[in-house]
């Protein structure tokens, strides 16, 4: 990866507008190339984006029938049927609601006996598909992308990681008890993400403002994994005003 590029910023009023903008990027990509390879994200932030995509498909304005997808990550140890697994998230919010071909939707296998091998196989599947055309990302308040927590290195690939206490606390809202949150995940690495041809990151709300500011303006450093995106030539951050609030007038 080359030097430092300027991350393109699109700042809109609110979460709804940010979701519409990101859905628009995906619609454009899939209309241009129906057999696109999409990298997808989970979490609270992209939920509305997925609803908007489902509406487009139901209205007959879009088809994912030829698309291939790779999700960023999955918890270690949760069966795909577990309601808090990312397999279940994707099924209930997008794959089961629109016209995806289930043979072409992929998530890391967090239940594999050999997780290191599962990571290597995931990388091989992405390569066999020709690489990712458009990667959607959320942003952790601690700067993580996928589950690449602070300390993740630039050359990291799909592998098992330990979740930080901050991430476990942030994700506890989706589980009955904090102790139910898995402590490990299988995640694409920074190198995997940076190989996508185009990257769109969505971040909304004040809780993301500091991470946004450090990712965009700060030094490129493992302690702020999203800062590695400065090394990619085609990245757009779609932000609402709250998430952009620390960027100052230069935004
Ligand atoms: P959130 O998570 O959308 O639930 O805030 C974002 C992330 O951790 O990537």
């Amino acid at each position: 990866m080359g030097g430092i590029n300027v991350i393109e910023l699109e700042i809109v009023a609110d979460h709804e507008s940010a979701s519409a903008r990101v859905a628009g990027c995906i619609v454009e990509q899939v209309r241009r190339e129906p057999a696109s390879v999409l990298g997808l994200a989970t979490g609270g932030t992209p939920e509305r984006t997925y609803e908007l995509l489902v509406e487009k498909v139901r209205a007959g304005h879009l088809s994912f029938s030829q698309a291939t997808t790779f999700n960023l990550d999955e918890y270690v140890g949760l069966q795909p049927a577990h309601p808090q697994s990312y397999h279940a998230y994707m099924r209930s919010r997008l794959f089961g609601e629109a016209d995806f071909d289930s043979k072409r939707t992929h998530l890391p296998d967090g239940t594999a006996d050999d997780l290191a091998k599962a990571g290597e196989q995931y990388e091989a599947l992405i390569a066999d598909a020709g690489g990712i055309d458009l990667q959607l990302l959320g942003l952790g308040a601690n700067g993580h992308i996928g589950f690449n927590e602070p300390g993740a290195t630039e050359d990291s690939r799909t592998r098992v990681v330990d979740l930080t206490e901050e991430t476990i606390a942030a994700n506890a809202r989706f589980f009955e008890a904090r102790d139910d949150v898995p402590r490990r995940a299988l995640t694409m690495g920074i190198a995997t993400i940076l190989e996508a041809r185009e990257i769109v990151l969505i971040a909304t709300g004040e809780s993301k403002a500091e991470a946004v500011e450090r990712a965009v303006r700060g030094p490129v450093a493992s302690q702020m994994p999203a800062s590695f995106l400065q090394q990619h030539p085609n990245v757009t951050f779609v932000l609402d005003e709250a998430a952009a609030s620390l960027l100052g007038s230069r935004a």
Side-chain angles (χ1 to χ4, degrees):
M1 238 357 102
I4 302 298
N5 296 277
V6 174
I7 290 177
E8 190 172 325
L9 303 175
E10 288 194 22
I11 301 169
V12 296
D14 52 22
H15 180 71
E16 180 64 23
S17 307
S19 303
R21 181 69 196 103
V22 171
C25 293
I26 295 171
V27 170
E28 230 174 83
Q29 172 68 41
V30 174
R31 285 206 182 129
R32 193 168 56 234
E33 175 49 71
S36 288
V37 180
L38 304 173
L40 298 177
T42 51
T45 313
E47 286 181 324
R48 181 65 183 144
T49 300
Y50 295 150
E51 274 178 17
L52 294 170
L53 291 175
V54 168
E55 283 172 19
K56 289 268 182 217
V57 171
R58 291 204 175 143
H61 297 148
L62 180 70
S63 172
F64 286 110
S65 61
Q66 294 181 56
T68 296
T69 69
F70 290 94
N71 265 78
L72 284 164
D73 44 23
E74 177 58 287
Y75 291 114
V76 167
L78 291 195
Q79 296 295 328
H82 189 289
Q84 303 316 332
S85 73
Y86 288 158
H87 280 78
Y89 172 110
M90 292 307 298
R91 217 168 31 241
S92 66
R93 289 169 179 81
L94 189 63
F95 300 154
E97 300 295 311
D99 60 344
F100 287 87
D101 178 344
S102 59
K103 290 193 295 296
R104 286 202 283 268
T105 59
H106 307 279
L107 290 93
D109 180 3
T111 61
D113 290 333
D114 186 340
L115 290 163
K117 192 163 156 214
E120 282 167 24
Q121 285 169 341
Y122 202 63
E123 291 281 335
L125 274 178
I126 294 171
D128 287 351
I132 291 170
D133 293 310
L134 176 63
Q135 175 69 55
L136 173 62
L137 297 176
L139 176 67
N142 68 354
H144 73 205
I145 48 176
F147 273 133
N148 293 284
E149 301 279 35
T153 58
E154 189 178 349
D155 60 357
S156 53
R157 297 234 161 237
T158 305
R159 71 205 182 288
V160 178
V161 294
D162 292 322
L163 302 182
T164 60
E165 287 304 324
E166 187 178 2
T167 294
I168 290 168
N171 290 4
R173 70 189 195 277
F174 298 111
F175 291 80
E176 272 180 28
R178 183 172 164 149
D179 281 351
D180 296 340
V181 185
R183 307 194 74 80
R184 295 190 302 159
L186 195 55
T187 182
M188 280 187 200
I190 298 292
T192 325
I193 291 169
L194 291 180
E195 277 172 7
R197 286 180 273 280
E198 181 179 356
I199 298 175
V200 174
L201 180 146
I202 178 170
T204 58
E206 208 188 327
S207 66
K208 303 293 172 70
E210 191 189 335
V212 165
E213 195 276 333
R214 290 177 61 202
V216 172
R217 306 247 193 263
V220 175
S222 278
Q223 279 316 304
M224 175 48 55
S227 67
F228 286 118
L229 298 171
Q230 293 177 29
Q231 298 182 338
H232 191 283
N234 192 2
V235 181
T236 305
F237 277 25
V238 179
L239 308 169
D240 69 354
E241 282 171 7
S245 59
L246 296 179
L247 288 173
S249 55
R250 287 173 298 165

